[in-house]
Amino acid sequence: MNELDVYKEAVRRYAAEKTNYLFHNEGSEHALIICSAMFENATKDIRIAANMLCNDAVVNKPEYIQSMQDFLDKEDTHLKILISHRPSKDEVTDESGFYSMLYHHPAYKEKRIEIKDGQGKSFHNQKGDSVHFCTADNHMYRLENDINERKAIANFNDEKATGNLINAFDGVFNTLDTTMNLNDYFVI
């Protein structure tokens, strides 16, 4: 088993067991492993704060899309996405991409998926650098402190840190009325 397989197995085990362990991760491969594990183990809510959420290195990978689809297939799940910049139509209309899956999933028509545009605003760490993050249910998170290198920390059972991220996310999300309507991208 190579180093990446060992990492993937540890992440999957810790996520399934809801282990309170702080993972340090870096790069697209680690981001994909952590996010997929979070989506697979979430049963209620996922919140994602990102730039545009349309990159081929992580978001448009089959594992990311499938694990999110599996989450949305569960009964009474909800996905909230807050993006800093609204992507162009060319960036999201790939039929095999993440946004296409969201648009075509029944959860979108059921209004269990909400996407809002932060109009250039983003979350920042104490140093003032932009950060991205994802939370799942009330105990899992991945916080990307270096968005260029995808350096992050993650934990599958830290209610306090996850709660702080959820409160920050909801504090912004609930004040915005800049909903991103996927019909604008996929309806001809």
Side-chain angles (χ1 to χ4, degrees):
M1 202 183 282
N2 68 33
E3 190 175 314
L4 193 59
D5 289 335
V6 170
Y7 183 83
K8 184 185 282 188
E9 181 57 35
V11 166
R12 289 213 167 127
R13 183 171 24 89
Y14 282 27
E17 295 172 359
K18 297 180 182 171
T19 304
N20 185 353
Y21 177 81
L22 186 65
F23 274 91
H24 291 267
N25 55 98
E26 178 179 351
S28 298
E29 290 176 328
H30 284 181
L32 182 60
I33 291 167
I34 295 279
C35 290
S36 296
M38 288 175 65
F39 302 163
E40 289 166 6
N41 288 281
T43 60
K44 299 177 211 146
D45 301 296
I46 292 178
R47 291 168 177 84
I48 301 173
N51 187 33
M52 289 192 298
L53 209 60
C54 57
N55 66 72
D56 291 336
V58 178
V59 177
N60 286 328
K61 291 284 190 192
E63 305 95 285
Y64 189 97
I65 294 169
Q66 186 61 55
S67 60
M68 178 58 77
Q69 184 173 335
D70 292 345
F71 165 75
L72 293 170
D73 287 345
K74 296 174 187 173
E75 193 172 318
D76 200 31
T77 53
H78 300 275
L79 171 64
K80 292 181 180 179
I81 298 172
L82 179 56
I83 54 172
S84 299
H85 300 92
R86 188 180 294 249
S88 71
K89 194 169 188 170
D90 292 339
E91 292 171 303
V92 299
T93 55
D94 177 6
E95 284 300 316
S96 64
F98 181 69
Y99 282 105
S100 178
M101 183 278 294
L102 294 179
Y103 177 71
H104 291 96
H105 197 282
Y108 187 72
K109 290 178 184 62
E110 296 166 3
K111 303 202 181 309
R112 293 190 290 123
I113 299 171
E114 295 178 80
I115 307 167
K116 292 190 178 181
D117 177 359
Q119 299 179 325
K121 296 176 185 166
S122 62
F123 293 95
H124 296 87
N125 62 19
Q126 293 174 340
K127 294 189 245 174
D129 301 323
S130 289
V131 298
H132 295 163
F133 62 88
C134 176
T135 66
D137 295 341
N138 63 352
H139 57 88
M140 294 181 273
Y141 74 89
R142 179 178 183 275
L143 173 62
E144 197 170 77
N145 287 306
D146 182 335
I147 61 176
N148 296 318
E149 298 291 324
R150 288 201 170 91
K151 290 182 181 179
I153 56 173
N155 194 311
F156 297 110
N157 197 12
D158 185 339
E159 290 183 15
K160 183 178 179 185
T162 304
N164 290 337
L165 291 171
I166 289 171
N167 289 338
F169 182 98
D170 288 349
V172 173
F173 193 86
N174 294 336
T175 64
L176 295 172
D177 51 354
T178 53
T179 300
M180 185 173 143
N181 186 342
L182 294 180
N183 288 332
D184 297 341
Y185 292 88
F186 295 99
V187 175
I188 298 174

